[in-house]
Amino acid sequence: MCGILCCISREPPSIPKYFEQNIRNFDDNIVVWDSQDEAFIQKLIDIDLKQTETLSSEDQHKINNLDKLRICNARLNQIKNTIGKSESHNSELAEAKSKIELEMKSLALVDHIDKNEMANLPPREIGVGLFTSLVPVIASRGPNYLKYISFHIEEAKTWVEQFSSVLSLRQPFVQQPVQVENEQISIQFNGELYNQECLDSNDSKFIGDKIISNIGNFGQGNREKAIVETIAELEGEFAYAIVDKAKQRCYFGRDYVGKRSLVYSLKESSGLVISSVTNGKNENNWEECKAEVVYMYDFESCKLDSYEMALKGARHPKPICNSALNKLKGIEVSNRISKFKEVFFEACKVRVDTIHPIHEDNPHITNLGILFSGGLDCTVIAGTVGQLFSEMSSLSDKTVLIDLLTVGFDNPRTEVSASGSPDRKLAKKSWLELANKFNKDSRISFRLVEVDVNYEEWLRHKSRVERLMYPCDTEMDLSIAIAFYFASRASNGVKLTLNLSTCEIETQANYTSKAKVLLSGLGADELFAGYSRHERVFNDLKPDSGSDVLEKAYSDLANELTNDIKVIYKRNLGRDDRVIASWGKELRYPFLEEKVINYVVQQVELDLKFNHSWETTTNKKGKVSTRLKPVRKWILREYAETLGLTGVKNELKRAIQFGAKSAKMEIGQGKTKGTDQL
């Protein structure tokens, strides 16, 4: 994984102060700096983390008054639940409600901000340049190696700055930015490639070699085609920024689903900044790069063009629904499940086979993390990985330690503790099923890592999460992002290990997971119709509805699912990557593997995703009614059963912010909507 920061400007750069030592000037136009000094890199990262060390005066005020706020909130809820007996009584209730709300406001807000707090804020808040302010944030994404280069392209009167941070996960290690074709092309690449030709080599070097080969094939006059063709041939999870000095252009973008974050800020007066992260909501007008789009910035004209990536396969085809009115036979359904198992196994395999960091202390141990709520999607990934490792003969000299990372919040508004959150209970149940099934193999160990987040810790990190997740900026974005943020940090948790010989659970406090690669179940709901809004498509369906009504409902569902994959880069992927990678962790998505998407979209019928039947019930008064009995993600549940995961097969969908209790952490937020902007 790599952090990308690239600036193209008509103004000469002001070299970030962090690089003042060890700068190498090769001539008047080229400046280079790099470092593998772990202590220096950590010191740089700590600049960005500094704001989480102390509470602001306002947040401290909330902590000091937390018990009073809880009492006020209880009184307020009591009044809201009281029905007025008369008009005068209603007026009394309204007046009492208003007084309590004013009291809560005074308990939550201070009437002034301590000016001395400004001295404790990180450099981004005290007037340093945009590029410099982003350096510590980019460094946190790749704590193993940093490199800065700047150069002047005289013909275009343009200066280019590139800064990369590298998390070492693939051998051989290659420095970034990568210089190829006699240093006429400079490549920054963030992600993992799963092209068969580069599974056992470094992916950024593979890209450079491919560009050189394509330039040779198409000729120097078709350099643009050579670069774009190279991008279209890449398979995996990635973002990139490629500077072609010869043609004075920069190409940047993301894979066709958008699994890695990339944003840009374009100003006519100051040029273009491309980055893996933003510095928050400000005058820079950050834009999220669209998926499957190649952006091309021309240095001479200062214009930005974009065009759709020329993909080898179909682009977001509409899901098939030809069996919606005519159920498949049992053997055909079994074939669908078997084929899905085949492509999904391969998607998981390629994502765990390519974990071999050169900085690992023990080469005989593979550390893997799974973001784990205990629900269907993440448990299916865990079960697939467990079965995958149990069948691998190449594991004979290795031990696989799989940390299932589950997070819970002590929510002062709902007064639910982290240990009592729904996800915590379900995670323990699903973990026990996995451990009993797979830990019998001495080479495999599933451990549950319970991460608790109290209100004070939430307040300390809230502003950092808001900045990292931007341009996503709603209450729902925050509640989801902050859950992933703490789960992926995976520090100061409690590790649970099942002792199979005694059937007892052994615990280890203050545990920090060493896993640098985390698997996520994101994409399953979008592929298999897992959201409640997918179910609402069938609200108007009746037992006697004609075939045309049923066909219309499934056609509407097909449109929903097609759009879900098209916009997932903006709704989820960029946000999640930005907050999780801030801990030097890399997220990988088996459900969003291109072959998995293509198979599920093009060959799995819609009624195998959203399956329904009719249920007739009689109430106590003898009234008979018939209602829809829906099963979302039906085929995925059947697949879970083939893995022996019967416990999770019938679990309902629960959004992480509600399962972990990270939604609406502030007392008095009862009326806040998830779509409200922060």
Side-chain angles (χ1 to χ4, degrees), residues 7 107 192 222 225 356 358-359 389 426 466 570 620:
C7 179
L107 290 170
E192 302 294 332
N222 287 309
K225 182 178 180 181
H356 37 80
I358 60 175
H359 55 275
F389 281 129
L426 181 57
E466 288 180 357
K570 189 174 184 179
K620 293 180 180 179

Side-chain angles (χ1 to χ4, degrees), residues 213 376 607:
S213 174
L376 177 66
D607 60 344

Side-chain angles (χ1 to χ4, degrees), residues 74-138:
R75 286 163 48 205
L76 187 63
N77 288 334
Q78 186 177 14
I79 290 173
K80 289 178 179 178
N81 293 327
T82 302
I83 299 174
K85 298 177 182 178
S86 63
E87 194 170 315
S88 61
H89 188 208
N90 283 331
S91 297
E92 290 174 8
L93 291 173
E95 185 178 352
K97 177 174 174 288
S98 179
K99 285 182 178 179
I100 295 173
E101 288 175 340
L102 283 173
E103 184 181 354
M104 291 176 69
K105 187 175 181 180
S106 68
L107 290 170
L109 300 174
V110 292
D111 57 7
H112 70 282
I113 295 177
D114 186 355
K115 293 181 180 179
N116 291 327
E117 286 185 30
M118 294 299 293
N120 294 322
L121 292 175
R124 65 183 182 84
E125 296 289 355
I126 53 178
V128 302
L130 174 59
F131 192 96
T132 299
S133 73
L134 286 170
V135 164
V137 199
I138 294 294

Side-chain angles (χ1 to χ4, degrees), residues 22 45 72 97 149 160 234 245 271 274 290-291 294 315 367 381 410 413 447 475 505 654:
N22 302 321
I45 293 170
C72 286
K97 177 174 174 288
I149 63 172
V160 178
L234 304 181
K245 302 175 190 177
I274 306 160
K290 295 179 180 179
V294 177
R315 178 180 287 110
N367 289 295
I381 288 178
D410 294 326
R413 183 183 63 84
R447 301 95 64 84
E475 287 287 348
I505 296 175
R654 186 188 293 114

Side-chain angles (χ1 to χ4, degrees), residues 388-574:
L388 180 67
F389 281 129
S390 67
E391 295 175 358
M392 287 174 61
S393 59
S394 59
L395 270 185
S396 56
D397 64 336
K398 295 196 74 171
T399 300
V400 182
L401 306 178
I402 306 170
D403 286 343
L404 306 177
L405 309 175
T406 179
V407 65
F409 290 76
D410 294 326
N411 191 315
R413 183 183 63 84
T414 62
E415 299 193 24
V416 174
S417 66
S419 59
S421 62
D423 276 4
R424 180 59 51 80
K425 297 173 182 177
L426 181 57
K428 187 171 288 186
K429 174 185 170 185
S430 297
W431 161 67
L432 283 170
E433 187 171 36
L434 289 162
N436 276 303
K437 180 175 177 61
F438 294 108
N439 286 16
K440 295 172 185 176
D441 187 329
S442 60
R443 305 169 302 168
I444 302 170
S445 178
F446 276 101
R447 301 95 64 84
L448 185 67
V449 180
E450 298 179 334
V451 178
D452 292 353
V453 183
N454 60 36
Y455 181 55
E456 181 176 330
E457 189 78 349
W458 181 85
L459 284 172
R460 288 180 188 276
H461 289 262
K462 176 173 173 279
S463 62
R464 183 175 190 241
V465 173
E466 288 180 357
R467 175 169 52 84
L468 285 168
M469 73 184 195
Y470 192 79
C472 296
D473 64 348
T474 68
E475 287 287 348
M476 183 171 66
D477 285 318
L478 174 62
S479 59
I480 294 172
I482 208 161
F484 286 143
Y485 175 85
F486 282 111
S488 59
R489 183 177 72 161
S491 65
N492 299 320
V494 177
K495 182 182 74 173
L496 277 59
T497 306
L498 180 63
N499 187 322
L500 290 174
S501 60
T502 63
C503 295
E504 293 182 352
I505 296 175
E506 299 172 352
T507 62
Q508 177 186 337
N510 300 317
Y511 174 77
T512 298
S513 175
K514 292 183 179 180
K516 297 294 183 184
V517 173
L518 311 180
L519 300 184
S520 166
L522 184 66
D525 290 311
E526 287 77 5
L527 287 175
F528 295 102
Y531 292 118
S532 57
R533 54 185 165 82
H534 296 143
E535 190 174 315
R536 286 196 292 271
V537 170
F538 295 82
N539 280 351
D540 295 333
L541 207 61
K542 306 293 185 220
D544 57 353
S545 294
S547 60
D548 56 334
V549 177
L550 181 58
E551 189 172 1
K552 173 66 166 55
Y554 272 107
S555 179
D556 290 344
L557 178 61
N559 292 331
E560 282 262 2
L561 296 179
T562 300
N563 186 62
D564 284 345
I565 292 295
K566 287 177 70 173
V567 301
I568 195 172
Y569 77 91
K570 189 174 184 179
R571 282 181 179 166
N572 307 87
L573 290 167

Side-chain angles (χ1 to χ4, degrees), residues 589-608:
Y589 305 94
F591 283 110
L592 294 177
E593 160 72 47
E594 292 173 35
K595 293 183 179 67
V596 173
I597 293 175
N598 288 338
Y599 173 72
V600 174
V601 169
Q602 297 179 34
Q603 297 186 47
V604 177
E605 290 77 6
L606 282 168
D607 60 344
L608 298 184

Side-chain angles (χ1 to χ4, degrees), residues 260-279:
R260 289 285 177 269
S261 168
L262 199 67
V263 296
Y264 69 92
S265 176
L266 178 65
K267 293 184 179 179
E268 290 183 6
S269 59
S270 58
L272 173 72
V273 178
I274 306 160
S275 179
S276 295
V277 292
T278 75
N279 60 342

